[in-house]
Amino acid sequence: MLRLREISSMELTRAHLDRIEQVEGSVRAFVTVTEDEAMREAEHVDQLRREGAKLGPLAGIPIAIKDVLCTKGIVTTCSSRMLEHFKPPFDATVIKKLRAAHAIMLGKTNMDEFAMGSSTENSAFFPTRNPWDLERVPGGSSGGSAAAVAAGEAMASLGSDTGGSVRQPGALTNTVALKPTYGRVSRFGLIAFASSLDQIGPFTRNAQDAALMMQTISGHDPLDSTAMNETVPDYAAALTGDIKGMRIGVPKEYFVEGIEPGVRASVDAAIKQFEALGAEIGECSLPHTKYGIAAYYIIAPAECSANLARYDGVRYGFSARDTSGDIIAAMSETREQGFGAEVKRRIMLGTYALSSGYYDAYYLKAEKVRTLIKQDFDAAFGRFDALICPTTPGVAFKLGAKTADPYTMYLNDVFTIPANLAGICGVSFPGEFSEGLPVGVQLLGPAFGEPTLLRLVDAFQRVTDYHTRMPEVATKRKSAARKRR
Ligand code: GLN
C-alpha cells in the first residue's frame, strides 16, 4: 500500500502511535516512545517516495527496538537503574542498517534487566503484560518487543536471544520470533550479556516479514569480529511454499514429561501439517539436552560477570558518589543501588564459577558439555534439514507465578538454550492455541539454515491462520508510556 501510495508512512506511523496511546496503559511494552522522531522520519520517507527515490521493502514501516540496543542520543536503559539516563553516542549496527533502509523507529521496548529473565518482570521499571491475557507475562527477556508486535503497536521489532529471549516471548505472544545463527547478525551496539551466546533477532507476524527483517540486519561488520563474512542469501526467495521431501527430525528428548498437554497437542498438530505438506518426518536423539540448563547457567553468568564489570560508576551510567573518597566503597555502592536482584545473583554465580579452584570444576566442565550438545546437533543435521519441538513447556504464566523461585523461571528455557550453546539458528512460530492462549512451535536449523526455517514456517502459514489472530487488548486505561527524555 505504501508503494502504491494508497497510504503514506505518516498515516501508518500515526496509526501505530495511536494504537500505542490506546493500549499502553495496560500492556506497557515501551520504556520510551520516540513519537516526534518517528513522525519526522515518516515525513522524510514520504518525501523520498514522492521524489521517486528507490526505496527498500522496510521503508516507512514502523518498528520497535528492545532497549538493549544502542540508539544515538536516545536513552538506552537495558531496563536497569544503572543505565536509566544513558544516551549512547552511537547507533548499534542493526539500527544503522534499519535507518539506511528507511524503517521508522517507534521507540524502545521493555525487557528483563540486562536481558536476564524469562518474563520481563525483572525490569527495574515495570512489568510488561501479555496482550492475550493482561494477568499473564509476555515472556522475556524481550517481552516488550514481543508484546508490541502482538498488540499491533509495531509491525515488527528487534530483540536479543542469549538463551531464548526472542523465541520464548515469541511463543507466548503468537509472533514469529527468530534467533539467527551465531555470527549472522552484528552485535555492535548490543549491550552485552553473554558474548558467546548473544544474538539479535526479529519479531514479526509472519515468515515473509521475518525474511525482510533478516535481509536488512544480516551480514558482516568490521565493528564486530564475530559477525561472519558469509554471503547473505535472498531470504524472501526461499519462501517458495514447496517443502516436499524436506526432512524434519523430532528430537525425542524434547517431548518429555512436564510439557503441558495443550503445547504437546499443538506441536503434534504442526508435525502432521508438515507431513501433509510433503515433508518427511523422522525421530532423532539429542542425548545431552538434559545438561543444557546446567551448562547455560554456568556459562551465561560467567560471561555476564565479566561483561557487567564495566558498570563501575566511573565511566558512564549511574554513579553513587561517595564523599569519603574511598573508590572501592563508591563502586560497591553504585553496583548495590544500580543492579536488581537477578543481575546481582548472576554476577555472584558467575564470579564464583570463574574463581580459581572452581574454574575447572564448573566453567571448564560446562564448556565441555557445550561441545557435546553441539555434536548432538551436528549428528542430527546430518540426517535432517530441521528439527521440530516445542518452544516452551507451557503457555504464558501468571505474573508473579515464578518470581519466588529463580530455578522454576530458569526451567522455562529448557528447549531454547541448547540452540544458543550450539550457535545454531531457531525460530518460534504460532501453532494451534491452547485454551485461548498462543502456543509456539519451534524449528531448529543448522548454522546459516535460516532460509530453510523460514521456508518451512511460510509453508505452514499458507495453510493455517493462527498467525493472523490478534488479541483483544483492553483499551480502557490511558497511556502511561514515557516519552523520550
Ligand atoms: N531466560 C534466559 C536467562 O534468563 C535467557 C535470557 C536471554 O536470552 N537473554 O538468561
Side-chain angles (χ1 to χ4, degrees):
M1 287 173 79
L2 283 169
R3 220 176 273 141
L4 298 173
R5 303 235 219 119
E6 286 172 18
I7 51 164
S8 67
S9 176
M10 282 182 86
E11 285 168 322
L12 186 63
T13 304
R14 176 46 56 204
H16 282 84
L17 290 166
D18 287 349
R19 178 78 168 157
I20 288 172
E21 180 74 25
Q22 197 183 27
V23 304
E24 268 302 282
S26 43
V27 176
R28 307 208 74 185
F30 285 87
V31 173
T32 305
V33 177
T34 48
E35 177 168 347
D36 298 344
E37 290 87 341
M39 288 308 293
R40 235 182 289 132
E41 286 167 26
E43 190 177 0
H44 176 62
V45 74
D46 283 340
Q47 175 71 28
L48 289 176
R49 212 182 285 279
R50 272 195 300 274
E51 287 166 3
K54 199 172 151 4
L55 297 169
L58 290 183
I61 302 288
I63 289 171
I65 304 293
K66 185 179 184 180
D67 215 13
V68 71
L69 288 162
C70 286
T71 44
K72 188 175 177 177
I74 294 166
V75 74
T76 300
T77 68
C78 258
S79 289
S80 178
R81 294 274 167 234
M82 195 60 99
L83 292 175
E84 195 173 356
H85 306 290
F86 173 58
K87 283 187 184 167
F90 60 89
D91 274 331
T93 294
V94 290
I95 301 295
K96 266 192 224 144
K97 287 182 180 233
L98 284 173
R99 287 194 197 288
H102 298 104
I104 310 297
M105 187 177 86
L106 290 168
K108 308 293 295 288
T109 59
N110 197 26
M111 54 187 279
D112 286 300
E113 183 176 10
F114 284 102
M116 298 171 198
S118 308
S119 66
T120 315
E121 291 166 295
N122 291 340
S123 165
F125 307 136
F126 46 81
T128 296
R129 288 165 186 268
N130 192 319
W132 289 92
D133 177 350
L134 297 174
E135 297 308 310
R136 292 175 192 265
V137 303
S141 65
S142 315
S145 283
V149 172
E153 298 175 87
M155 298 196 75
S157 62
L158 286 183
S160 62
D161 190 312
T162 304
S165 281
V166 169
R167 289 161 290 155
Q168 186 258 15
L172 274 38
T173 57
N174 208 45
T175 46
V176 174
L178 179 84
K179 184 204 92 72
T181 305
Y182 189 81
R184 177 73 292 180
V185 178
S186 164
R187 289 102 44 86
F188 178 74
L190 167 71
I191 296 175
F193 162 12
S195 304
S196 78
L197 301 160
D198 298 339
Q199 259 295 296
I200 297 164
F203 291 91
T204 56
R205 294 201 196 103
N206 56 52
Q208 281 133 300
D209 291 355
L212 299 181
M213 290 290 282
M214 282 303 292
Q215 203 70 47
T216 308
I217 64 173
S218 298
H220 178 56
D221 178 10
L223 298 173
D224 174 2
S225 60
T226 67
M228 280 176 70
N229 201 351
E230 178 85 24
T231 325
V232 178
D234 184 342
Y235 291 105
L239 313 183
T240 58
D242 180 12
I243 62 161
K244 275 190 203 67
M246 282 177 78
R247 300 158 307 164
I248 303 179
V250 183
K252 62 170 193 256
E253 290 80 3
Y254 283 63
F255 293 82
V256 288
E257 232 176 282
I259 300 178
E260 287 174 14
V263 171
R264 172 93 211 219
S266 184
V267 178
D268 286 345
I271 294 172
K272 286 215 182 71
Q273 187 62 258
F274 282 120
E275 200 166 18
L277 288 167
E280 288 166 23
I281 313 289
E283 198 187 76
C284 69
S285 172
L286 301 167
H288 298 94
T289 300
K290 57 178 177 289
Y291 304 116
I293 290 207
Y296 173 88
Y297 277 100
I298 297 287
I299 294 168
E303 294 184 16
C304 119
S305 74
N307 273 325
L308 272 60
R310 73 192 64 176
Y311 304 105
D312 54 10
V314 177
R315 284 170 285 193
Y316 47 80
F318 171 74
S319 183
R321 301 271 170 223
D322 184 283
T323 45
S324 70
D326 180 344
I327 184 70
I328 301 295
M331 283 185 190
S332 301
E333 197 49 35
T334 294
R335 291 166 72 80
E336 166 62 24
Q337 292 180 33
F339 290 138
E342 183 62 25
V343 174
K344 286 179 189 160
R345 179 179 299 121
R346 305 267 180 124
I347 292 172
M348 287 189 280
L349 280 172
T351 306
Y352 181 82
L354 290 176
S355 57
S356 118
Y358 295 109
Y359 184 95
D360 290 356
Y362 296 115
Y363 183 73
L364 203 62
K365 194 143 193 184
E367 288 292 355
K368 288 180 181 169
V369 170
R370 181 175 192 171
T371 302
L372 293 174
I373 287 174
K374 184 175 178 304
Q375 287 170 353
D376 283 356
F377 281 116
D378 289 345
F381 290 126
R383 292 173 52 212
F384 297 102
D385 299 305
L387 307 178
I388 191 165
C389 58
T391 309
T392 57
V395 294
F397 46 93
K398 293 250 166 76
L399 270 99
K402 295 182 199 264
T403 42
D405 176 14
Y407 188 64
T408 56
M409 190 72 89
Y410 298 170
L411 285 177
N412 244 283
D413 308 320
V414 60
F415 301 142
T416 49
I417 277 173
N420 301 77
L421 290 171
I424 60 171
C425 58
V427 64
S428 178
F429 61 98
E432 191 176 284
F433 280 52
S434 169
E435 293 170 23
L437 290 169
V439 173
V441 181
Q442 182 173 222
L443 283 167
L444 299 172
F448 300 101
E450 289 87 353
T452 304
L453 299 187
L454 290 173
R455 176 183 298 194
L456 288 165
V457 176
D458 174 62
F460 183 84
Q461 293 184 334
R462 290 182 192 217
V463 294
T464 57
D465 70 352
Y466 310 119
H467 64 290
T468 63
R469 298 186 194 170
M470 296 285 285
E472 268 177 48
V473 188
T475 55
K476 287 183 202 81
R477 274 174 287 165
K478 267 280 157 211
S479 169
R482 290 188 290 167
K483 297 270 162 72
R484 175 184 165 183
R485 282 153 292 189

